[in-house]
Amino acid sequence: MGGLCSGKQVDAPVEENEVILNVYDVGTSIAMHDLNNVLHMIGTGVYHASTQIGEDVEWAYGFCEKGSGVFHCPPKAYPFTFRESINMGKSPLSKEEITATIEKLKKHWLGSDYDLLHQNCCHFAVALCKALKVKEVPSWVTNLAAAGAAIMAEEHALEEAMHVAAVKV
């Protein structure tokens, strides 16, 4: 699929059922782009991820008060700074199976369940790629949320231990 130019993949035709992970820097600021350039060198970053299937549509997940948080837009049209595309392979599922898979995910990925550390757009991209039976999403896409979740879990465990110790006194 095309060559590389400034770290971004050059656009090439996308085949039917081909899955592309489109990664964006969160926001549009130069400062965020520069921060992500540094964080990327250590295997992490602040990213939005969407999953493109075929040439026409990109699927993502975000917060909304009611209903599914799963939505679609034209490829590379998300209003953040586009970073790169990663070819995840071709899904062995039929077009009908892909549609059914997305409909099933829509029911489980409610917008009100969005959580920056545990259930965000990058986690949805992981779930969708897994359901489409393509390559795994690179860990650098989700590492920052995982690190944040681990820190929060440790903080919660420490608070619980301190509470138990205080009760015993």
Side-chain angles (χ1 to χ4, degrees), residues 5-93:
C5 177
S6 303
K8 295 181 184 172
Q9 196 165 348
V10 176
D11 289 331
V14 178
E15 295 180 30
E16 185 176 326
N17 292 3
E18 188 172 5
V19 178
I20 307 292
L21 182 71
N22 290 322
V23 181
Y24 302 80
D25 294 330
V26 170
T28 57
S29 74
I30 293 172
M32 180 57 75
H33 181 72
D34 290 346
L35 174 64
N36 273 349
N37 285 342
V38 172
L39 291 173
H40 191 71
M41 289 189 283
I42 60 171
T44 193
V46 184
Y47 302 115
H48 167 78
S50 298
T51 309
Q52 179 180 339
I53 304 169
E55 198 167 328
D56 300 327
V57 67
E58 178 175 295
W59 292 92
Y61 171 73
F63 174 80
C64 62
E65 290 184 17
K66 293 182 180 179
S68 178
V70 176
F71 62 95
H72 62 86
C73 62
K76 299 179 188 166
Y78 201 78
F80 287 163
T81 302
F82 175 76
R83 176 163 283 271
E84 67 181 279
S85 291
I86 303 166
N87 188 323
M88 304 302 288
K90 193 169 181 176
S91 176
L93 304 181

Side-chain angles (χ1 to χ4, degrees), residues 108-128:
H108 296 287
W109 288 80
L110 301 178
S112 59
D113 290 340
Y114 182 91
D115 181 275
L116 191 59
L117 300 179
H118 300 99
Q119 187 165 324
N120 64 35
C121 57
C122 297
H123 297 116
F124 176 74
V126 169
L128 181 53

